[in-house]
Amino acid sequence: MIWKRKLRDETTELIGGEQVDAGLPIAQPDDQPAPTIVESAPAASGEVWRRPAAEPGPMLPRFMASASDDVETDLANESARRRLALRDALGASQPVIARESFAGRRDAMSDLINAVEEQRVHVVIYGERGIGKTSLAHVFAETAREARYLVIYGSCGTAANFSDMFRSVCARIPRIYHTSVLPNSAEAEKGENFEVMLPDGPFGARELADVMAGVVGTRVLVILDEYDRVVDVNFRREVAELIKNLSDRAARVQLVITGVALNLDELIGYAPSIRRNITGLPMRPMNSAEVKELLRLGERAAEIRYDAAALAMITQMAGGSPYLVRLLGHQAGLMAMNDNRNVVGDADARVAVERVISDWQASLPRRVQANLARDEARVHWGLLVAAARAGSSADGWFTVDDVYAEMGGAHSPLAIERDLKLFVNTVDLLERREGPGDPHFRFGYPGVASLLMMSAAMARLAA
Ligand SMILES: Nc1ncnc2c1ncn2[C@@H]1O[C@H](COP(=O)(O)OP(=O)(O)OP(=O)(O)O)[C@@H](O)[C@H]1O
Ligand SMILES: [Mg+2]
């Protein structure tokens, strides 16, 4: 069962004139009916919050500032300036790209630098959705550029194609860094890049490594972000082959890949000998000191303060996800500012959690919402929450034993397995992976596990 209650009447689409920035997956049109929305307020668990439609008010909301961001001259409004500052500091829809907006992660950063600089290996940074892989990659890129690495960032899409991706990587490596080009030669003067050395048309890892092995005078780091989105098996096999070839030839080119743990296993599976040339870097949930540091960014920007209770609630509810810390911190901060208070308290944090759960729920595809509202989900709510907790590892996969441990031995492993299968076969909420060892399960749609955990935590608080 999932927890649901009616939102307070003043909860509308806009908070302080600013659209709630959930940054969540957009609901897809689906032919399944959405579950009924409960408008009453049962305090028990088992239902999900829904935001009521905004009441028509006397005045339509307006933008706070012009698109030029020039608040001072447009509105001369100090409060609007602080709201915008809070949004800039804690808005959750974009990865962080600059060090000033990046909190914590010192260990991850030093492990990454160490892997690249000391061990000279290729790296796979892996972790669940929204844990901060892209942000780490960007800030690492900035740091590496300061050390004069030539860093090339590429974001993979579902349609990524090996030749196209690496042709554009090569187009960004100046030819003067190739061993065959002398500094003052005609080729060097022409300002060409590595792309001219590639064959016309599609090429594979070997041909690419032939070209890349010629890098001298710098070191090249190729960041392949969102690698888990790549669908083409051939692309992934070629990347494994490329790592092998680059390593065999001691090329001055290293790959930094962000994805999920499975990507690491798969790369090694394709080319077992690369095991010693590749390292996996799991992104762990943020600890409470890192959460505090992240919220500090909002405090400084908007001249507010999160009190100890608000901090504790946000830390607990976010479960180490920087994405959720920002979302909750932003919402709670706005609540206090709307009330002309500079101190954000636990009541603000609680309303923020309510809003985030409600927005989150509404952003899931109707099919997923309908499945969460089914009787089976209500009956096995405890199991689903335990599964969500069990799945909060770097790749979201969990086993029957993991769920058994989360449930404190309250149900037998056999019963747990049977019930998990129900959510694979009958109610489409989980995926199942067979393979060597125990069967693995995970939630089929990103965000469902976090929603369940937050709903459960809120239900506990209400109780
Ligand atoms: N160290 C950090 N400091 C401050 N904010 C962070 C940090 N890491 C991540 N965030 C924030 O968390 C959110 C998710 O981060 P990011 O996009 O980097 O995660 P991701 O793991 O790449 O997600 P995905 O799996 O969807 O690609 C973003 O809003 C980002 O601004
Ligand atoms: Mg990312």
Side-chain angles (χ1 to χ4, degrees):
M1 296 198 297
I2 306 168
W3 183 54
K4 174 161 34 184
R5 56 157 277 202
K6 187 180 187 296
L7 277 176
R8 295 194 336 209
D9 287 344
E10 67 269 26
T11 307
T12 63
E13 288 289 328
L14 299 172
I15 294 175
E18 196 175 359
Q19 178 89 44
V20 176
D21 167 27
L24 296 165
I26 308 294
Q28 302 295 317
D30 200 315
D31 48 14
Q32 299 220 37
T36 17
I37 294 170
V38 171
E39 291 287 340
S40 59
S45 58
E47 294 161 351
V48 185
W49 261 336
R50 296 307 208 76
R51 180 171 33 205
E55 296 283 331
M59 234 182 48
L60 279 173
R62 300 188 180 208
F63 285 89
M64 285 184 289
S66 74
S68 63
D69 275 346
D70 196 359
V71 180
E72 291 310 338
T73 50
D74 283 334
L75 287 179
N77 185 334
E78 174 63 8
S79 140
R81 183 194 65 73
R82 287 170 57 214
R83 269 205 193 64
L84 287 178
L86 187 68
R87 181 206 58 194
D88 289 346
L90 294 184
S93 57
Q94 306 282 334
V96 173
I97 48 172
R99 207 179 286 149
E100 314 81 74
S101 320
F102 187 73
R105 301 302 195 194
R106 282 176 194 77
D107 291 352
M109 191 69 148
S110 88
D111 289 351
L112 183 50
I113 292 173
N114 179 275
V116 167
E117 185 175 46
E118 302 271 329
Q119 302 171 44
R120 295 287 187 219
V121 289
H122 307 268
V123 186
V124 177
I125 304 170
Y126 60 92
E128 62 185 289
R129 288 226 85 74
I131 196 72
K133 303 177 291 291
T134 299
S135 302
L136 179 71
H138 278 303
V139 174
F140 166 73
E142 185 184 325
T143 310
R145 284 189 187 111
E146 286 166 4
R148 299 194 171 262
Y149 280 75
L150 179 59
V151 186
I152 300 165
Y153 173 91
S155 186
C156 303
T158 43
N161 163 290
F162 185 83
S163 303
D164 293 349
M165 170 66 86
F166 283 95
R167 192 175 288 286
S168 64
V169 166
C170 286
R172 286 151 72 189
I173 311 177
R175 206 172 166 194
I176 42 163
Y177 291 123
H178 197 271
T179 175
S180 67
V181 178
L182 296 172
N184 295 321
S185 65
E187 286 139 314
E189 301 291 317
K190 271 197 255 171
E192 285 173 344
N193 54 52
F194 272 44
E195 191 191 353
V196 300
M197 291 179 277
L198 289 170
D200 294 332
F203 55 86
R206 281 200 197 151
E207 289 139 305
L208 178 61
D210 284 346
V211 174
M212 286 187 152
V215 170
V216 284
T218 188
R219 295 195 70 96
V220 177
L221 290 174
V222 180
I223 298 178
L224 296 181
D225 196 15
E226 320 292 347
Y227 184 77
D228 46 296
R229 293 178 63 203
V230 177
V231 184
D232 182 8
V233 178
N234 192 47
F235 182 106
R236 305 202 303 262
R237 192 178 290 123
E238 291 291 342
V239 168
E241 190 64 26
L242 178 64
I243 291 175
K244 179 171 176 358
N245 278 274
L246 292 174
S247 309
D248 287 350
R249 306 174 70 160
R252 299 171 69 85
V253 179
Q254 282 161 277
L255 303 190
V256 175
I257 295 173
T258 79
V260 293
L262 272 184
N263 296 143
L264 177 65
D265 298 344
E266 189 198 56
L267 285 171
I268 293 172
Y270 284 138
S273 65
I274 63 176
R275 188 181 295 275
R276 61 179 185 279
N277 304 115
I278 196 166
T279 194
L281 196 79
M283 290 287 292
R284 301 184 199 290
M286 278 190 155
N287 62 31
S288 53
E290 290 176 313
V291 171
K292 194 169 180 182
E293 199 180 312
L294 210 173
L295 290 177
R296 201 60 207 113
L297 298 171
E299 291 185 328
R300 268 201 296 266
E303 296 148 50
I304 53 173
R305 185 170 65 78
Y306 295 85
D307 74 11
L311 192 65
M313 183 173 295
I314 293 174
T315 307
Q316 188 202 349
M317 292 291 169
S321 154
Y323 171 69
L324 278 176
V325 173
R326 292 179 88 104
L327 216 50
L328 296 172
H330 185 200
Q331 293 301 314
L334 285 177
M335 294 299 305
M337 287 162 86
N338 287 347
D339 229 9
N340 290 321
R341 282 179 286 113
N342 290 336
V343 178
V344 186
D346 64 340
D348 302 312
R350 183 186 283 243
V351 175
V353 178
E354 292 173 0
R355 286 186 173 168
V356 167
I357 293 178
S358 150
D359 288 349
W360 197 294
Q361 162 78 7
S363 74
L364 293 173
R366 289 162 80 83
R367 166 180 58 82
V368 179
Q369 293 187 41
N371 285 333
L372 280 169
R374 282 177 61 154
D375 285 346
E376 292 91 333
R378 289 165 190 271
V379 170
H380 295 291
W381 190 70
L383 172 91
L384 287 176
V385 172
R389 276 201 219 99
S392 49
S393 63
D395 61 4
W397 291 102
F398 54 86
T399 62
V400 171
D401 284 350
D402 297 335
V403 180
Y404 178 76
E406 286 294 342
M407 296 186 90
H411 296 267
S412 75
L414 271 180
I416 291 174
E417 181 160 8
R418 180 198 62 213
D419 295 341
L420 289 175
K421 282 183 185 159
L422 174 74
F423 291 99
V424 177
N425 302 323
T426 313
V427 184
D428 178 20
L429 281 176
L430 297 176
E431 294 171 357
R432 184 170 172 198
R433 171 164 64 95
E434 297 294 343
D438 297 335
H440 283 62
F441 299 85
R442 78 168 167 195
F443 283 89
Y445 196 81
V448 171
S450 301
L451 176 69
L452 285 164
M453 285 191 286
M454 275 196 295
S455 283
M458 278 306 267
R460 271 203 308 278
L461 272 183

